[in-house]
Amino acid sequence: MKYYIIAGEASGDLHGSNLMKGLYKEDSNAEIRFWGGDLMQAVGGTLVKHYKELAFMGFVEVLFHLKTILNNIKICKKDIVDFQPDVIIFIDYPGFNLRIAKWAKAEGFKTHYYISPQIWAWKESRIADIKRDIDKMYVILPFEKDFYESKHHFAVEFVGHPLIDAIHEQPRIDGTIFKKENQLSEKPIIAILPGSRKQEIAKMLSVMLSVVNDFPEYQFVIAGAPSQEFSFYEGFITNENIKFVSNQTYPLLQNATAALVTSGTATLETALFKVPEVVCYKGSWISYQIAKRIITLKYISLVNLIMDQEVVTELIQEQCSRKPIREELKKILNPDYRKALLHKYDELEEKLGGIGASEKTAKLIVANL
């Protein structure tokens, strides 16, 4: 069978790579073309376009890059027609993927969606497009099944969360070796996860690192995104207690005592590595003003959304400043507070359904062709 996969972000590259492993296991004759990244490319298949060329965020940023986005849509459609896949598999990235899905469905291609767009957070009206254009939907959050089936009468498969697979498969890196290889000191680590796109990294790093001098007994280690060069981060490394590692987020979390994390998938990754965290988010003023008027969720972090309670503290916009970050970081470094938080993390993992999401999804995709 021929599979065409579209992933437009770093997290999609991770989950796409594990899905591809499952597809090759289920279908020894699988041919795969994809939009993704280095992780997917390492598995096999043919890379059409790297997600580094697709990473635009926020309302204003998308407008500035509209010509590039429309050209990518044109390229994608032509490549699909030339390849003639048996199924197109969309991984999140809804602004792009739902446009392709509408066209693909009309052209007679089978359309499967792995990792639902977060329409339960905003743009719930997209449900009409999904019901019209998507043949099969595989969801990874437990509350999404009820959202789709009870509220919108659209059957979906809950497959569990693929992050559990990715973390379970991650080899354990000894702390001493990790520090030595990355020229880190012996001090305990506070991990800094500022996101993967330039706009959010630039916005978040200055405020996250503003507390470095308040915790001289720790080293603050920035998790460099695979999509960015070291030169972009270099200007933020202004203190001997600020360190940097590139494309090593999982080994960093394995060896971190605590973390400051920008909202998104990283909040869940950090929790699954059992690292106490503070969630920080500060967007552009215009994007934030628009977002807060159309997003009605109680929380911004996946940890709190899944648990339906404030398990991790969220510091958003004006709250995301030096003093609140300093106070919340002190809390999660307190042994009693940490113990209670880690217990909640165990409950979170139970809710997510255990290992095997990627393999289960691959089996369902092949079975439904």
Side-chain angles (χ1 to χ4, degrees), residues 237-356:
I237 303 174
T238 58
N239 185 300
E240 64 178 8
N241 276 344
I242 301 174
K243 309 291 185 180
F244 176 85
V245 298
S246 180
N247 198 20
Q248 295 186 73
T249 300
Y250 282 8
L252 174 60
L253 288 174
Q254 284 178 346
N255 292 287
T257 300
L260 301 178
V261 187
T262 299
S263 64
T265 305
T267 64
L268 184 56
E269 290 174 310
T270 304
L272 291 174
F273 273 106
K274 308 301 167 63
V275 180
E277 65 183 299
V278 181
V279 177
C280 307
Y281 180 77
K282 181 176 283 191
S284 70
W285 186 87
I286 293 175
S287 293
Y288 178 72
Q289 292 300 319
I290 295 171
K292 76 176 185 178
R293 286 164 172 78
I294 59 178
I295 298 175
T296 57
L297 296 174
K298 290 188 290 183
Y299 309 108
I300 65 168
S301 72
L302 282 173
V303 175
N304 292 345
L305 285 168
I306 294 165
M307 294 295 287
D308 195 27
Q309 59 180 286
E310 189 178 58
V311 173
V312 296
T313 299
E314 300 177 350
L315 300 177
I316 305 170
Q317 213 64 4
E318 293 86 358
Q319 293 178 309
C320 186
S321 59
R322 179 183 175 183
K323 185 176 178 180
I325 293 174
R326 181 182 65 208
E327 296 309 309
E328 293 302 326
L329 190 50
K330 285 180 180 177
K331 281 185 185 178
I332 63 173
L333 292 171
N334 176 279
D336 291 335
Y337 192 96
R338 292 169 63 83
K339 184 177 180 180
L341 181 55
L342 294 177
H343 178 70
K344 288 292 185 181
Y345 282 176
D346 290 338
E347 292 180 23
L348 169 73
E349 189 165 353
E350 288 181 18
K351 276 181 172 281
L352 289 174
I355 64 172

Side-chain angles (χ1 to χ4, degrees), residues 16-293:
S17 68
N18 286 324
L19 177 64
M20 286 170 66
K21 292 174 188 175
L23 289 172
Y24 282 128
K25 183 177 179 181
E26 291 299 312
D27 180 359
S28 59
N29 296 314
E31 294 180 53
I32 302 176
R33 286 180 70 84
F34 62 91
W35 294 48
D38 299 341
L39 296 176
M40 294 173 76
Q41 194 168 22
V43 176
T46 302
L47 174 66
V48 180
K49 194 173 273 283
H50 201 288
Y51 70 78
K52 290 180 183 179
E53 302 178 55
L54 311 174
F56 307 115
M57 67 173 294
F59 304 96
V60 176
E61 292 84 359
V62 167
L63 286 175
F64 279 128
H65 294 94
L66 188 58
K67 184 177 179 180
T68 300
I69 294 168
L70 293 176
N71 188 54
N72 284 336
I73 289 171
K74 183 179 179 180
I75 292 169
C76 186
K77 289 178 180 178
K78 183 181 185 304
D79 196 60
I80 289 170
V81 170
D82 290 344
F83 186 54
Q84 287 294 305
D86 295 289
V87 62
I88 304 171
I89 304 165
F90 304 98
I91 301 180
D92 200 2
Y93 200 54
F96 187 90
N97 274 337
L98 287 176
R99 288 191 181 205
I100 298 296
K102 180 180 180 180
W103 166 85
K105 182 69 173 178
E107 292 292 314
F109 292 104
K110 287 187 177 180
T111 55
H112 290 202
Y113 219 119
Y114 177 43
I115 305 179
S116 166
Q118 295 179 353
I119 64 170
W120 36 266
W122 74 304
K123 289 194 175 181
E124 191 169 342
S125 60
R126 280 176 165 168
I127 185 63
D129 297 335
I130 289 172
K131 292 173 76 171
R132 180 192 65 216
D133 300 328
I134 302 303
D135 295 318
K136 297 290 180 180
M137 173 71 79
Y138 310 100
V139 301
I140 64 173
L141 299 172
F143 61 79
E144 289 179 321
K145 186 171 178 65
D146 183 63
F147 171 84
Y148 274 108
E149 296 188 345
S150 299
K151 187 173 184 180
H152 292 292
H153 312 293
F154 181 65
V156 301
E157 294 276 359
F158 172 61
V159 294
H161 206 294
L163 275 180
I164 297 178
D165 292 347
I167 291 169
H168 179 76
E169 294 170 4
Q170 178 71 25
R172 180 75 197 183
I173 307 297
D174 177 77
T176 301
I177 295 173
F178 175 73
K179 289 177 179 178
K180 184 176 180 180
E181 288 181 345
N182 290 283
Q183 298 179 312
L184 306 180
S185 72
E186 292 302 312
K187 292 180 179 180
I189 292 171
I190 294 175
I192 305 294
L193 279 62
S196 60
R197 302 181 181 95
K198 282 188 176 180
Q199 296 99 323
E200 65 182 342
I201 295 169
K203 182 74 73 171
M204 295 308 306
L205 264 182
S206 293
V207 66
M208 285 175 154
L209 295 172
S210 67
V211 299
V212 169
N213 291 333
D214 297 307
F215 299 88
E217 66 274 33
Y218 293 90
Q219 58 184 323
F220 288 69
V221 183
I222 301 168
S227 57
Q228 307 299 339
E229 300 295 329
F230 171 69
S231 57
F232 177 69
Y233 296 92
E234 199 168 6
F236 296 96
I237 303 174
T238 58
N239 185 300
E240 64 178 8
N241 276 344
I242 301 174
K243 309 291 185 180
F244 176 85
V245 298
S246 180
N247 198 20
Q248 295 186 73
T249 300
Y250 282 8
L252 174 60
L253 288 174
Q254 284 178 346
N255 292 287
T257 300
L260 301 178
V261 187
T262 299
S263 64
T265 305
T267 64
L268 184 56
E269 290 174 310
T270 304
L272 291 174
F273 273 106
K274 308 301 167 63
V275 180
E277 65 183 299
V278 181
V279 177
C280 307
Y281 180 77
K282 181 176 283 191
S284 70
W285 186 87
I286 293 175
S287 293
Y288 178 72
Q289 292 300 319
I290 295 171
K292 76 176 185 178
R293 286 164 172 78

